[in-house]
Amino acid sequence: MPRPYAPPSVTRARPRGGAVLRTLVLRILSWRWGLVWALLLTAGAAPAAAQQADEAGRFELDMESVQGILEIQQINGWLLYDRQGQNPIALAVARPTGGQAFHRWFYLVPAQGEPVLLVHRADAGRFAHLPGRTVEYTDYASLERGLAGMLSGIGEVAMEYSPMAALPDLARVDAGTVELVRAQGVTVRSSADLVLLAKSLWRPEQRVSHYVAGHHLTQLRQAALAFVTERVRADQPVTEAEVQDFLLRGYKVRGLDGPRPIVATTVNAADPAYVTGAAGQVAIQRGDLLLIDMAARVADQPRAVYATTTWMAYVGDQVPARFTGPFAALVEARDAAVKLIEERVQRRRVVKGHEVDRAARAVLERAGLGDAFLDRTGHSLDTDLNGGGANLDDYITRDTRALLMGAGFTVAPGLYVKGEMGMRSAVNVHIGPGGVEVSTPAQTEITPLLAP
């Protein structure tokens, strides 16, 4: 079974990332598989390899480690780029102060040598914390001259670009900017594996923040179901939007930040993209299936990691068989996905995102429910709700990236039958130093709200 979480009681010293990467460089013969194996075997040292925090707690790049990763991958540099927030990966790595910049900026981290920042003069102060040399521009002509100078002789860079759009969550740099970089005689490669290491792997304090957020979401979910139960028992009206507002007030009281919760009754839950309140006031009534879905992280902590929760309830005293049967299949699919991850980690074998999705999907297909499984099994979690790591996906895309030590993600298969019902069974999972941790409660049966 997945290892239960034990809250850390002491702060352990963390090996400096650069030393870890230097050791890896000496041992790795084939960069991709060697790196995966090394991360699985270093028992939690490498997840922090590409990030560190200064004494004030602000996140910053461990430049030595990132350059070590570039050497392993045989890429000459990582070119970060953003314009008005279109690349959350670049923002999360560079972390401009005072919010996003107003103009385009590039930050080149070469495999060897000093980083270079190309930034508009008006925005330069937002990047003063970044190491390296700064080149300021004012107009488009000076931007193009600066970019040509920055990339002179570099040959090849990684960017948030996905060939053939195979990984849409990674594809954050627009085609025109890729063309602009290529016009400098530079080959552009995907930064997918760099992002895995520099952004998506949790540090120990991020793991704690995830558990804190998960605890609060669990308490809020319990309180919301009690609120619905009280209203229904008293024959008082209650709507999806009222429950959503109840949860949002809880976010504020508990210091959480996240998107608006989803509260959906039977037919509305059949829409995977349902937005509570968009269709007006929808009453929650006896006989309804009820889905509550939340995602949040601790507010005012820039490096806090998201947690999510999804729970299914029935507004009645006994859940009908038309709901219990499909939900039991969902639970089996969810657990099959977690089991595959656990077995691979225990055996020190690589597990890829698409393989986990396929394990869950196979269960539902055997149950005759494959046509109702209209989404991927899960997605990466880090400082963004849809994180920079591997997704559990062999449906929307085929995610061939590996789940590495330090990664966190959702395992949340769902069934959606248009005009009838929708349901999900979800947990959060973290691959920690001691193995696989299921970090949020695993629902096994639909909760009957009016049971004696």
Side-chain angles (χ1 to χ4, degrees):
M1 292 296 292
R3 188 173 69 86
Y5 170 63
S9 58
V10 296
T11 300
R12 296 180 292 180
R14 177 172 56 86
R16 179 165 173 79
V20 174
L21 261 296
R22 282 195 298 272
T23 301
L24 293 178
V25 171
L26 293 174
R27 295 181 179 179
I28 292 170
L29 298 178
S30 169
W31 78 262
R32 181 181 298 270
W33 297 115
L35 182 57
V36 171
W37 271 94
L39 287 169
L40 287 172
L41 295 173
T42 49
Q51 28 178 313
Q52 65 179 8
D54 62 18
E55 292 180 356
R58 187 189 69 222
F59 169 80
E60 62 181 19
L61 280 175
D62 183 338
M63 204 58 61
E64 184 181 9
S65 294
V66 171
Q67 290 179 321
I69 297 167
L70 287 166
E71 289 188 8
I72 293 169
Q73 297 190 8
Q74 299 180 344
I75 300 176
N76 295 336
W78 187 6
L79 185 60
L80 295 166
Y81 165 80
D82 183 56
R83 178 183 179 273
Q84 298 182 349
Q86 75 182 50
N87 187 354
I89 295 170
L91 291 176
V93 174
R95 299 201 61 78
T97 58
Q100 67 190 31
F102 293 102
H103 306 85
R104 291 180 285 176
W105 59 268
F106 294 84
Y107 187 57
L108 174 65
V109 182
Q112 296 181 358
E114 184 182 39
V116 182
L117 171 69
L118 178 62
V119 63
H120 192 276
R121 183 174 297 167
D123 294 319
R126 299 179 186 273
F127 299 88
H129 60 284
L130 289 178
R133 178 169 60 91
T134 298
V135 177
E136 296 181 1
Y137 75 90
T138 53
D139 58 12
Y140 71 88
S142 58
L143 167 66
E144 292 179 3
R145 287 194 301 270
L147 185 63
M150 169 191 278
L151 298 178
S152 177
I154 195 71
E156 183 177 59
V157 297
M159 298 186 76
E160 283 66 69
Y161 150 78
S162 178
M164 302 299 292
L167 297 173
D169 289 345
L170 179 77
R172 302 294 185 172
V173 180
D174 61 278
T177 299
V178 172
E179 290 173 354
L180 179 62
V181 172
R182 286 174 172 163
Q184 314 308 314
V186 175
T187 299
V188 177
R189 286 177 54 179
S190 174
S191 64
D193 294 291
L194 275 167
V195 172
L196 276 175
L197 294 171
K199 178 177 181 289
S200 70
L201 306 184
W202 302 357
R203 291 165 46 86
E205 60 268 28
Q206 291 178 295
R207 174 173 171 262
V208 172
S209 76
H210 167 79
Y211 276 98
V212 170
H215 166 76
H216 286 306
L217 291 179
T218 298
Q219 297 296 308
L220 285 171
R221 179 258 302 168
Q222 293 172 343
L225 292 180
F227 170 69
V228 173
T229 301
E230 181 181 4
R231 286 287 191 90
V232 173
R233 286 190 184 277
D235 292 325
Q236 295 178 348
V238 61
T239 66
E240 293 176 347
E242 284 182 287
V243 179
Q244 183 187 65
D245 289 341
F246 178 93
L247 292 169
L248 287 171
R249 291 194 297 272
Y251 279 21
K252 185 175 181 179
V253 169
R254 291 173 178 268
L256 298 179
D257 179 42
R260 298 178 71 85
I262 299 169
V263 181
T265 52
T266 313
V267 176
N268 291 336
D271 180 0
Y274 180 70
V275 177
T276 302
Q281 295 293 327
V282 178
I284 300 172
Q285 301 175 333
R286 292 174 184 264
D288 275 339
L289 188 66
L290 181 64
L291 178 151
I292 293 180
D293 183 278
M294 293 179 282
R297 62 177 188 163
V298 178
D300 301 323
Q301 291 186 19
R303 299 305 300 167
V305 166
Y306 270 91
T308 73
T309 187
T310 302
W311 206 262
M312 301 302 306
Y314 176 71
V315 188
D317 58 356
Q318 187 172 355
V319 185
R322 69 187 181 97
F323 296 144
T324 58
F327 190 75
L330 273 182
V331 170
E332 184 182 352
R334 179 199 71 199
D335 292 348
V338 174
K339 182 179 179 182
L340 174 63
I341 299 166
E342 183 187 23
E343 289 177 346
R344 293 285 184 88
V345 171
Q346 286 177 345
R347 295 164 59 191
R348 300 295 192 267
R349 292 186 60 188
V350 173
V351 57
K352 298 182 178 182
H354 72 91
E355 294 178 302
V356 181
D357 180 85
R358 181 48 51 190
R361 202 167 295 279
V363 172
L364 294 175
E365 288 172 351
R366 288 196 299 270
L369 297 169
D371 289 344
F373 189 4
L374 303 179
D375 205 348
R376 60 192 178 190
T377 294
H379 60 81
S380 170
L381 289 172
D382 55 34
T383 54
D384 293 311
L385 176 55
N386 289 282
N391 297 315
L392 313 185
D393 191 359
D394 195 34
Y395 181 74
I396 299 173
T397 64
R398 183 177 177 83
D399 199 322
T400 60
R401 292 175 293 175
L403 303 176
L404 302 184
M405 176 72 72
F409 41 88
T410 66
V411 180
L415 296 173
Y416 309 95
V417 182
K418 186 176 181 179
E420 295 185 24
M421 65 88 183
M423 57 176 61
R424 284 194 292 276
S425 180
V427 292
N428 292 176
V429 174
H430 174 57
I431 304 178
V436 175
E437 300 173 357
V438 174
S439 57
T440 54
Q443 186 176 12
T444 58
E445 297 179 341
I446 297 173
T447 303
L449 296 184
L450 304 182

